[in-house]
Amino acid sequence: MLAPLTHLALHCRRKGTGLGAFNVIHLENAESIVEAAERLDVPVVLQISENAVKFHGGRLAPLARGVLALAEQSSSRACVHLDHAKDTGLIREAIGLGFTSIMYDGSHLPDEQNRAETARVAGWCLDAGVSLEAELGEVGGKDGVHAPGARTDPDDAARFVAETGVDLLAVAVGSSHAMTERTAQLDLDLIGRLAETVPVPLVLHGSSGVSDESMVAAIRAGMTKINVSTHLNHVFTRTVRQVLDEHPEMVDSRKWAGPGYRAMTDEVARLLELYSTAG
Ligand code: G3H
Ligand code: ZN
């Protein structure tokens, strides 16, 4: 069933477990994520990013309606989340479609403007009963707050939450987006200090670059929502490539999409088990 992100994240934070949040590019990804969550009987987040919407020619509704239907029909509690949204028009559209969570990404804006815009979006989300995730302004590097060297200051983070009213906060603790090797070095001491100082659940972006051992340690230190995209894309594409290499005569897309779907489902289930037993 469809669930608000705050409920799922607060539940996981109380238990000291991680909440898996996986990106959906095409509908098969959402089917994998829902099937894996049901297999484990755990809550899950299905996220559609602004970039994924661009891939679909700027159209959010067709994919979103399918993902929302899968979440509604699921026996697991599932949140449908708009990820890394900079476009406030898209945020309005997602709220109208029935998304249960939004990430407003104002990290590219000057700090003061990010705070003001985030607080404005928080007002819309509050009125609509939708959860809001956000992040502090750009700290450095082309990957902004998700550059490996970027760090979130705990007191600044607590001030940001108090000023804006966000429900979850994405923090910079050593991960970086789109890594294809799982070699990121997380600052566990900082995660612990952030978890003590910041009153809302913490979000780790760029989790594809984090090893299983580091992720368990990060969840134990206080990380809650774990965002994974690139790693699952890798699993899906690697499987499809192998099937097509072995069967160059194949034309029926179900024959290669099926193995990709099953490989991604198994990996999401493996990650969900890791996160939900880490505490
Ligand atoms: O918002 C989505 C994530 O931060 C995914 O990052 O592709 O590096 O796993 P990733
Ligand atoms: Zn991200």
Side-chain angles (χ1 to χ4, degrees):
M1 67 227 61
L2 198 53
L5 179 57
T6 33
H7 290 191
L8 306 186
L10 289 171
H11 172 77
C12 288
R13 194 172 69 154
R14 268 195 299 275
K15 283 175 58 185
T17 58
L19 173 64
F22 306 108
N23 284 69
V24 175
I25 300 168
H26 32 84
L27 198 58
E28 287 80 359
N29 300 148
E31 291 174 324
S32 283
I33 296 162
V34 166
E35 186 183 325
E38 289 176 350
R39 199 187 287 173
L40 275 286
D41 193 24
V42 293
V44 77
V45 181
L46 299 128
Q47 10 192 72
I48 301 174
S49 71
E50 188 170 300
N51 279 337
V53 176
K54 284 185 190 143
F55 166 72
H56 289 286
R59 287 179 290 271
L60 172 63
L63 179 63
R65 289 205 173 101
V67 175
L68 284 158
L70 282 164
E72 278 157 12
Q73 287 168 16
S74 174
S75 57
S76 281
R77 287 178 302 153
C79 163
V80 178
H81 172 87
L82 182 67
D83 195 31
H84 285 288
K86 297 183 167 81
D87 176 350
T88 49
L90 190 67
I91 291 174
R92 292 275 205 190
E93 188 185 351
I95 291 173
L97 282 164
F99 278 57
T100 53
S101 177
I102 303 290
M103 178 203 183
Y104 174 64
D105 184 348
S107 61
H108 58 292
L109 298 172
D111 190 48
E112 241 176 70
Q113 201 183 337
N114 179 23
R115 284 171 201 251
E117 282 296 299
T118 302
R120 195 162 73 97
V121 175
W124 303 342
C125 289
L126 188 65
D127 287 346
V130 170
S131 310
L132 178 66
E133 172 188 332
E135 66 183 42
L136 275 75
E138 200 157 313
V139 180
K142 70 173 167 52
D143 202 16
V145 293
H146 305 298
R151 294 290 182 271
T152 302
D153 174 71
D155 293 329
D156 194 23
R159 248 190 327 272
F160 183 88
V161 171
E163 281 173 23
T164 58
V166 299
D167 301 299
L168 287 96
L169 188 70
V171 290
V173 294
S175 60
S176 181
H177 277 128
M179 286 177 71
T180 49
E181 307 278 329
R182 303 174 87 201
T183 53
Q185 297 295 317
L186 297 184
D187 190 335
L188 297 174
D189 177 62
L190 178 58
I191 296 172
R193 286 188 288 122
L194 284 162
E196 273 172 23
T197 315
V198 178
V200 297
L202 303 176
V203 184
L204 186 68
H205 282 250
S207 304
S208 291
V210 180
S211 67
D212 289 354
E213 299 71 35
S214 295
M215 192 55 79
V216 168
I219 292 167
R220 289 191 180 148
M223 195 56 74
T224 299
K225 178 170 175 269
I226 313 297
N227 284 14
V228 184
S229 179
T230 304
H231 173 66
L232 296 172
N233 236 332
H234 189 187
V235 168
F236 184 92
T237 305
R238 183 179 62 202
T239 307
V240 169
R241 183 178 294 122
Q242 193 184 332
V243 172
L244 289 175
D245 279 350
E246 284 167 12
H247 302 280
E249 76 294 348
M250 199 175 263
V251 290
D252 183 339
S253 60
R254 289 168 293 192
K255 294 258 165 53
W256 54 260
Y261 164 82
R262 284 189 290 279
M264 177 163 162
T265 306
D266 289 346
E267 183 59 5
V268 173
R270 196 189 70 76
L271 292 175
L272 284 173
E273 177 154 35
L274 186 78
Y275 303 163
S276 60
T277 53

